[in-house]
Amino acid sequence: MELLKQRIEKDGLALNEHVLKVDSFLNHQIDPVLMQEIGKEFAERFKDAGVTKILTLESSGIAPSVMAALELGVSVVFARKRKSLTLTDDLVTATVYSYTKQESNTIAVSSRFIKKEDTVLIIDDFLANGEAAKGLIEVVESIGAKVAGVGIVIEKSFQPGADEIESKGYRLESLARVESLKAGEVTFKDEKAEVVK
Amino acid sequence: MELLKQRIEKDGLALNEHVLKVDSFLNHQIDPVLMQEIGKEFAERFKDAGVTKILTLESSGIAPSVMAALELGVSVVFARKRKSLTLTDDLVTATVYSYTKQESNTIAVSSRFIKKEDTVLIIDDFLANGEAAKGLIEVVESIGAKVAGVGIVIEKSFQPGADEIESKGYRLESLARVESLKAGEVTFKDEKAEVVK
């Protein structure tokens, strides 16, 4: 997605070889116009996948997911990273390790909102080691629902998550694929498809 | 906001006299069409307030905030509830006690994204004791920026937050004002204004 890659080149910051900071438009400050375009791109790529629900993880996945959901005419469910007192019933959980935060979280989804009849598009802001995406897939499959695919805003292709998810046969659509962050430079991998210009 | 009140009547669950569960459309599952209408309503109510930025708190404030931001043509900043390893610089913080979760959190905003020249609309999903709203106001004012007002999706008017914020002179716009949750029934307070039908 050209608009996103331009924005990463302009405002993204390669802090080191592993960390790309995009907190000026995606995961602390949010540009709603860019989110709308990202939502349209996800919707276009998955329009024939029969999506009935989008599943994401709080917090940075919510904005792109809501915009994609608006385009696809479905609802979003965001997995919570821990249990709150008013969200106690019928929880389906998975354990997700965050390399960034160096901690494990339980992610939880109510089975009242994802049913075995659903076809679920999983959306997240980043794909690195794939821990979050794999946790969300685990949740969907333990409910018995179908995974339509995984939509990622920024894939760090030099980390193992993308290969791992594709090798398991899941459809993966990453809107920007970062090949390297060496020497403070963001280098993109060629995109597989460019649907919305 | 009539559409929101109807939705609360239809899908909200008064768990007890204090807790209104709206996880089917606002804070676990999200209805993006309702969020768009909520965003339009906030934008309409604050259209003359000179808003340059929206500030919210992860996670449930993000969806309505992004929709309002799209309408107002501004960006959203969502305060983080704790520090992450890639968000360490120039943080402005406040301490917020959550009665629901019975814990204190540090909320943090980067001063790179809210400047003293900004006029900030604070948006959140719920207003009960007002802890989150007061923490967000504290962040904005410690930066030296102006608070345009506080926009709340659901106000629990029987708890002290609303009175406290208004008595301090802040403009408060709550799209649904719940007067009572007694006997499993949701009773609304009369609305002050109905802008978008």
Side-chain angles (χ1 to χ4, degrees), chain B residues 21 31 46 54 60 72-73 76 80 98 112 129-130 152 154 162 165 178 196:
Chain B
K21 191 167 177 170
D31 177 342
F46 287 98
I54 291 175
S60 300
L72 286 167
V76 174
R80 292 251 182 210
S98 166
R112 290 182 294 128
N129 291 288
I152 296 292
I154 303 176
I165 284 167
V178 175
V196 176

Side-chain angles (χ1 to χ4, degrees), chain A:
Chain A
M1 184 184 173
E2 205 49 49
L3 185 71
L4 174 63
K5 292 201 286 186
Q6 287 168 6
R7 188 60 173 272
I8 294 169
E9 283 174 343
K10 180 170 162 280
D11 293 328
L13 201 61
L15 287 190
N16 56 47
E17 288 189 11
H18 300 287
V19 178
L20 174 63
K21 192 167 177 169
V22 288
D23 64 351
S24 66
F25 60 90
L26 181 58
N27 46 26
H28 182 35
Q29 181 166 256
I30 301 172
D31 177 344
V33 178
L34 180 64
M35 292 307 120
Q36 191 178 43
E37 293 304 315
I38 284 171
K40 286 179 185 170
E41 178 75 27
F42 280 134
E44 182 64 28
R45 293 195 188 197
F46 286 99
K47 68 182 174 189
D48 300 320
V51 175
T52 61
K53 198 80 74 167
I54 290 175
L55 177 64
T56 188
L57 185 59
E58 63 179 351
S59 293
S60 299
I62 294 174
S65 294
V66 169
M67 292 299 185
L70 192 65
E71 293 290 324
L72 285 168
V74 300
S75 292
V76 175
V77 176
F78 66 88
R80 293 250 180 211
K81 275 179 191 156
R82 52 179 176 176
K83 293 157 199 168
S84 88
L85 295 184
T86 56
L87 180 73
T88 48
D89 48 342
D90 309 318
L91 290 181
V92 183
T93 63
T95 302
V96 168
Y97 181 75
S98 165
Y99 287 86
T100 314
K101 295 184 178 168
Q102 296 176 10
E103 64 183 22
S104 283
N105 277 295
T106 298
I107 66 167
V109 173
S110 168
S111 61
R112 289 182 294 128
F113 304 128
I114 296 183
K115 305 283 189 189
K116 65 179 194 297
E117 297 78 18
D118 276 315
T119 300
V120 181
L121 170 58
I122 291 166
I123 286 182
D124 207 3
D125 58 336
F126 268 98
L127 178 65
N129 291 287
E131 293 297 308
K134 284 183 283 180
L136 293 168
I137 288 171
E138 183 185 332
V139 163
V140 172
E141 295 191 337
S142 67
I143 290 167
K146 187 184 162 195
V147 175
V150 178
I152 296 293
V153 181
I154 303 175
E155 171 190 307
K156 294 195 284 184
S157 311
F158 55 88
Q159 287 178 287
D163 284 347
E164 206 175 318
I165 285 166
E166 289 197 311
S167 73
K168 286 179 178 163
Y170 297 104
R171 180 175 171 193
L172 173 64
E173 294 284 348
S174 302
L175 305 191
R177 304 169 80 207
V178 175
E179 191 165 52
S180 160
L181 294 171
K182 285 180 183 158
E185 283 285 318
V186 181
T187 312
F188 293 103
K189 208 167 163 174
D190 286 341
E191 284 195 74
K192 288 181 288 187
E194 180 77 5
V195 182
V196 177
K197 294 291 171 187

Side-chain angles (χ1 to χ4, degrees), chain B residues 1-10 175-177 188-191 194:
Chain B
M1 185 183 174
E2 206 46 51
L3 185 70
L4 175 63
K5 291 201 285 188
Q6 287 168 6
R7 187 61 173 271
I8 294 168
E9 282 173 344
K10 180 170 164 278
L175 305 191
R177 303 170 80 207
F188 294 103
K189 209 167 165 175
D190 285 342
E191 283 196 73
E194 181 76 5

Side-chain angles (χ1 to χ4, degrees), chain B residues 4 8 20 124-128 152-159 161-163 166 172-180 187-189 192:
Chain B
L4 175 63
I8 294 168
L20 175 62
D124 207 3
D125 58 336
F126 267 98
L127 179 65
I152 296 292
V153 180
I154 303 176
E155 171 190 308
K156 294 195 283 183
S157 311
F158 56 89
Q159 288 179 285
D163 284 346
E166 289 195 313
L172 173 64
E173 295 284 348
S174 303
L175 305 191
R177 303 170 80 207
V178 175
E179 192 166 50
S180 161
T187 312
F188 294 103
K189 209 167 165 175
K192 288 181 289 186

